Amino acid sequence: MSVWLPQHVDAFRTAMRRLLASPVNTLLSLLAIGVALALPAGGQMLVNNALQLARNSAPTPQISLFMKLDAAGSASEDIETRLQHHPDVKVARFIPREETLARMKTREGLADVIEALPKNPFPDAFVVLPVDDRPEAMERLADDLRTLPGVAQVQLDSDWARRLEALLKIGRTGVLLLALLLGVGLVAITFNTIRLQVMTRRAEIELSRLLGATDAFIRRPFTYFGIMLGLAGGVTAWLIVAAATWWLGAPIAEFAKLYSIDFTLHPLSALDSTLLLIVAAVLGWLGASLSLRQHLGDN
Amino acid sequence: MIRFAHASKRYPPGMDALSDVSFDVAAGELVAVGGHSGAGKSTLLKLIAAIERPTGGAVLVQGQNIGSLKRNAIPYLRRNLGVVFQDQKLLFDRNAFENVMLPLTISGFPPHEAKRRAQAALDKVGLLARMKAMPIMLSGGEQQRLAIARAVVSRPSLLLADEPTAHLDAETAADVARIFLDFQAVGVTVLIATYDTNLFPRARRLVLDHGRLK
């Protein structure tokens, strides 16, 4: 029968016993690792939520074109023809001022105000979908449209969303940087924990060698210890992020309702959660391996 | 079983622990290595267990040359030896039974079989009833017997012991000596370093003096 599996099971049990043998130390290590990992994990969660908000708010980038209020109806017809023949315009939809007025009247609270106005305050407008929706191309098209006669204002509707998205990409890089730094911290924590473990088990290690233990046999429980510490730290981090999400959920929902934004705070995705746990375990393993190489020596 | 051929061990900066030692031990022999403290008895045992390597000559154990043994081959050599260390090296954070289990866990024995063997070894040294006791609760003689049980639990063909009767009263020392004789009687090669070779009257004697065989 192969001795491989029982030996691993044994090493796993030994590591588990050592983790449980000093609950206070284990708990402190777990908290340290958990908090260290919760920061980038929580950051990732927030950035993802914000990205989703940005994308939902601006499904397709479009340009709004407003005519001058005093422009004649023929001017709008002229612009419509020009837009339809413009090579950079995919679709142009005309929104007559009367339609806008009718739509605004249906709005709660606005109806009375509009009713009181002597004349229609809204201009004719066009919604333009560009062929090329890259920011530079859209900027160029908008500049071009501004030169058309009778046009009062040209607005890139998706501008703020794109800026937000760009900002969030910086945020994502920040999260990655934070994850790298705190990952190094996690390795340092496991490194030191394993160092202390090796020191307190000097006698056992020395004796095991004298009784014919291979290097692998001696390393195994420590390696498992590192992996388990990392993994449990990952679970702690996940719990911290989940608790924060739950805690922030209600106030954010209320805030979103006030601004009529359809938004709920989503917890870490299954993929991100899995990634978090894998990274935590790998970092624990790395810290343990480096520590063993340093402290177990070659004899 | 064991062959020393002009073996020497020099510790830096130039202290000769063993000089030009030659002898053979056949399988099944009982050998008592005598000599004053510091004569090189412990060094001789350490060479056999590959804890130290000779700086001159050759040491062969079960046909393997200790001087040129690869590092990763040492564990497998040691699994065929039982060693009773001078300072016993019992682990005080686990009970008698778990101390005896350690060599079997290391060599990857199936757990069920290992348990049976560990109990047999404890029985052999008269400690079966105390298997749950922590080493600190055991008397000096019992601790020594526990160390012997751990040394023989893998049923090695070669048993080494470094001063196994030191610090024991005459009666307990005689008890412990008898256990070694029992192992020799069933075919185990036994090599004991002891200041008191009279405890092993039937043993072949080797006497060291300042690192040389007399």
Side-chain angles (χ1 to χ4, degrees):
Chain A
M1 197 184 85
S2 165
V3 300
W4 184 84
L5 188 66
Q7 288 214 335
H8 273 267
V9 170
D10 214 64
F12 180 80
R13 285 210 190 115
T14 307
M16 201 61 158
R17 232 182 5 251
R18 288 178 189 172
L19 268 175
L20 297 177
S22 48
V24 176
N25 279 347
T26 304
L27 208 67
L28 286 176
S29 301
L30 287 188
L31 271 180
I33 295 170
V35 170
L37 284 174
L39 287 173
Q44 167 75 0
M45 185 269 288
L46 289 178
V47 166
N48 271 352
N49 272 293
L51 265 178
Q52 203 185 355
L53 177 66
R55 286 197 185 119
N56 285 349
S57 311
T60 42
Q62 58 184 31
I63 299 171
S64 297
L65 187 151
F66 300 100
M67 300 299 291
K68 283 177 182 149
L69 264 179
D70 54 3
S74 58
S76 295
E77 278 166 39
D78 175 45
I79 295 288
E80 188 171 13
T81 336
R82 281 177 189 242
L83 285 177
Q84 268 152 10
H85 292 95
H86 198 290
D88 294 339
V89 173
K90 192 157 76 182
V91 185
R93 190 162 66 85
F94 177 54
I95 304 169
R97 49 194 304 199
E98 296 75 18
E99 190 187 316
T100 313
L101 182 70
R103 189 153 51 85
M104 285 303 173
K105 272 185 181 167
T106 63
R107 290 260 173 117
E108 191 87 32
L110 271 179
D112 295 342
V113 181
I114 291 168
E115 216 57 76
L117 291 173
K119 56 177 190 163
N120 185 352
F122 301 108
D124 280 341
F126 293 89
V127 172
V128 177
L129 294 183
V131 175
D132 184 350
D133 64 2
R134 278 176 305 182
E136 316 84 69
M138 285 184 69
E139 201 69 59
R140 221 178 307 120
L141 178 59
D143 284 343
D144 191 22
L145 298 181
R146 274 187 196 106
T147 61
L148 296 178
V151 172
Q153 203 189 349
V154 174
Q155 197 176 309
L156 289 166
D157 283 354
S158 58
D159 233 20
W160 70 271
R162 281 172 174 277
R163 283 191 192 133
L164 180 62
E165 199 170 330
L167 197 67
L168 288 172
K169 275 183 185 145
I170 297 175
R172 179 164 274 184
T173 314
V175 166
L176 196 70
L177 207 67
L178 197 66
L180 274 175
L181 280 174
L182 292 168
V184 172
L186 195 158
V187 170
I189 293 172
T190 358
F191 184 92
N192 197 44
T193 311
I194 298 290
R195 184 180 71 88
L196 293 173
Q197 284 273 330
V198 169
M199 275 163 63
T200 52
R201 301 193 175 273
R202 272 267 172 249
E204 184 183 335
I205 292 168
E206 190 203 352
L207 175 67
S208 298
R209 285 221 166 95
L210 292 174
L211 295 178
T214 57
D215 288 343
F217 179 88
I218 289 169
R219 274 161 203 269
R220 215 172 280 136
F222 293 108
T223 310
Y224 271 116
F225 187 95
I227 293 173
M228 275 149 76
L229 199 64
L231 198 59
V235 172
T236 311
W238 191 89
L239 288 174
I240 291 173
V241 173
T245 311
W246 176 80
W247 205 18
L248 282 172
I252 283 184
E254 202 178 305
F255 177 84
K257 207 171 126 198
L258 281 175
Y259 282 78
S260 328
I261 306 169
D262 180 23
F263 178 71
T264 43
L265 195 61
H266 290 282
L268 272 181
S269 67
L271 182 72
D272 283 341
S273 303
T274 316
L275 205 66
L276 169 68
L277 296 183
I278 290 175
V279 165
V282 167
L283 290 178
W285 169 81
L286 187 66
S289 301
L290 292 174
S291 191
L292 289 174
R293 185 182 294 180
Q294 182 80 21
H295 300 112
L296 227 39
D298 273 355
N299 46 57
Chain B
M1 182 63 83
I2 301 172
R3 165 167 291 174
F4 274 60
H6 307 289
S8 306
K9 176 66 188 179
R10 169 177 289 193
Y11 288 106
M15 202 273 265
D16 286 309
L18 286 178
S19 311
D20 195 24
V21 172
S22 298
F23 67 91
D24 282 287
V25 176
E29 252 190 304
L30 171 64
V31 179
V33 183
H36 61 88
S37 167
K41 302 190 295 281
S42 290
T43 305
L44 190 140
L45 292 193
K46 282 179 179 166
L47 287 175
I48 299 171
I51 298 167
E52 299 284 359
R53 291 175 191 256
T55 45
V59 175
L60 282 95
V61 179
Q62 294 168 339
Q64 291 185 283
N65 189 336
I66 299 297
S68 60
L69 203 59
K70 285 212 176 70
R71 197 181 119 72
N72 57 16
I74 291 174
Y76 303 97
L77 173 92
R78 288 184 183 159
R79 288 179 197 182
N80 291 325
L81 310 176
V83 185
V84 179
F85 303 98
Q86 190 168 14
D87 55 352
Q88 296 170 342
K89 297 192 191 296
L90 297 173
L91 294 178
F92 286 86
D93 62 344
R94 51 189 83 184
N95 66 32
F97 175 74
E98 288 162 339
N99 265 283
V100 176
M101 278 292 278
L102 189 60
L104 300 176
T105 312
I106 285 169
S107 54
F109 243 76
H112 189 73
E113 167 81 359
K115 207 173 157 184
R116 217 176 45 72
R117 274 207 182 189
Q119 285 172 350
L122 282 166
D123 193 25
K124 178 81 194 131
V125 299
L127 279 179
L128 189 56
R130 308 221 57 190
M131 61 183 262
K132 296 281 183 205
M134 300 304 273
I136 200 78
M137 307 290 290
L138 301 175
S139 70
E142 285 173 325
Q143 289 189 4
Q144 192 58 273
R145 282 187 279 150
L146 179 57
I148 295 170
R150 189 185 61 198
V152 299
V153 72
S154 350
R155 299 186 187 160
S157 50
L158 175 58
L159 181 57
L160 307 176
D162 196 355
E163 299 287 6
T165 58
H167 317 302
L168 298 179
D169 59 71
E171 200 183 326
T172 318
D175 273 351
V176 167
R178 208 169 305 126
I179 297 174
F180 286 104
L181 297 181
D182 288 348
F183 281 109
Q184 194 234 341
V186 295
V188 178
T189 311
V190 181
L191 193 137
I192 300 166
T194 177
Y195 70 97
D196 186 6
T197 49
N198 294 327
L199 272 171
F200 305 94
R202 285 191 287 129
R204 176 180 149 207
R205 295 183 190 193
L206 295 173
V207 179
L208 282 168
D209 184 27
H210 291 99
R212 292 178 184 276
L213 271 185
K214 273 211 280 205

